[in-house]
């Protein structure tokens, strides 16, 4: 990977597209292509092999969820490419479709919440590094769909808070900074989460984090 992150932008609204490109340029990222059609987004990503794709959900040719479908096609063909979906829709179904069985390298952000280039840059760098970047409001919507027999009922309120921040894509250090606690304190909570959710120690820590997040989002 080059030191300058290479990005392809898919957005059919010119003002939004130019805004995203401007933000990326301000944080030193290179937009190698920008397109307004989902099918073209898939083609150009295959040709250019960027570090990350940023796409809208509703795009031509059908102005339905073409952008999301393009994102899924890109991930299936090029799993090494990070994908961030920018949406004006707070839709749990869209988010779950994107996440699938693994949120690694994926982001789902609400357009209205991206207040500055640094926020977008942070999300891009997280997904490129193999992490995730899920908007807190999207996570809250998913969590609000809890069913009877919630397996997370065994967690303490603090463990739920830590797991929520894990779902957003924050590292242990990032969680510690947000909660104003030490990294070892966060590590203890993470260990407690793994134990209470019966995640096997034989699996890697990263894999257990993924499983814990999926449990949080889907149950």
């Amino acid at each position: 990977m080059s030191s300058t992150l290479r990005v392809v932008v898919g957005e059919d609204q010119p003002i939004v597209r130019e805004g995203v490109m401007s933000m990326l340029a301000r944080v030193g990222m290179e937009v190698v292509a920008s397109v307004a059609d989902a099918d073209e987004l898939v083609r150009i990503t295959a040709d250019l092999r960027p570090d990350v794709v940023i796409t809208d959900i509703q795009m031509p040719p059908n102005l339905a969820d073409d952008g999301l479908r393009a994102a899924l096609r890109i991930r299936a063909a090029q799993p090494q490419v990070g994908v961030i979906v920018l949406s004006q829709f707070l839709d749990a179904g869209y988010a779950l479709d994107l996440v699938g069985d693994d949120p690694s390298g994926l982001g789902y952000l609400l357009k209205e919440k991206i207040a500055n280039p640094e926020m977008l840059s942070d999300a891009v760098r997280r997904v490129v590094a193999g992490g995730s970047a899920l908007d807190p409001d999207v996570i809250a919507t998913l969590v609000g769909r809890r069913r009877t027999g919630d397996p997370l009922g065994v967690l303490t309120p603090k463990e739920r808070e830590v797991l929520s921040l894990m779902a957003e894509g924050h590292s242990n250090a990032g969680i510690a900074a947000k909660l104003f606690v030490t990294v070892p304190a966060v590590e203890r909570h993470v260990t407690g989460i793994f134990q209470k959710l019966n995640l096997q120690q034989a699996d890697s820590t990263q894999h257990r984090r993924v499983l814990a997040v999926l449990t949080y989002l889907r149950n």
Side-chain angles (χ1 to χ4, degrees), residues 7 23 62 67 139 141 168 206:
V7 185
M23 283 188 174
N62 300 310
I139 292 173
T141 299
E168 289 177 32
Q206 183 58 36

Side-chain angles (χ1 to χ4, degrees), residues 64-168:
D65 61 351
D66 302 60
L68 178 62
R69 298 301 141 202
L72 296 175
R73 289 166 62 190
I74 289 167
R75 287 290 290 181
Q78 301 180 73
Q80 77 281 5
V81 175
V83 174
I84 296 177
V85 170
L86 298 183
S87 177
Q88 64 188 43
F89 303 102
L90 184 57
D91 189 302
Y94 285 152
L96 286 176
D97 283 348
L98 179 67
V99 168
D101 294 326
D102 189 352
S104 303
L106 296 171
Y108 188 106
L109 304 176
L110 299 178
K111 292 179 180 178
E112 64 185 32
K113 300 280 288 296
I114 300 175
N116 55 60
E118 288 70 29
M119 291 180 63
L120 184 58
S121 171
D122 176 66
V124 170
R125 294 186 188 282
R126 271 195 264 161
V127 301
V128 169
S132 59
L134 302 179
D135 186 275
D137 286 351
V138 173
I139 292 173
T141 299
L142 292 171
V143 173
R145 299 168 61 183
R146 291 278 177 248
R147 296 187 292 271
T148 302
D150 176 11
L152 302 181
V154 296
L155 301 183
T156 67
K158 183 59 69 175
E159 287 169 342
R160 282 176 175 261
E161 191 174 13
V162 168
L163 184 51
S164 176
L165 290 170
M166 285 171 58
E168 289 177 32

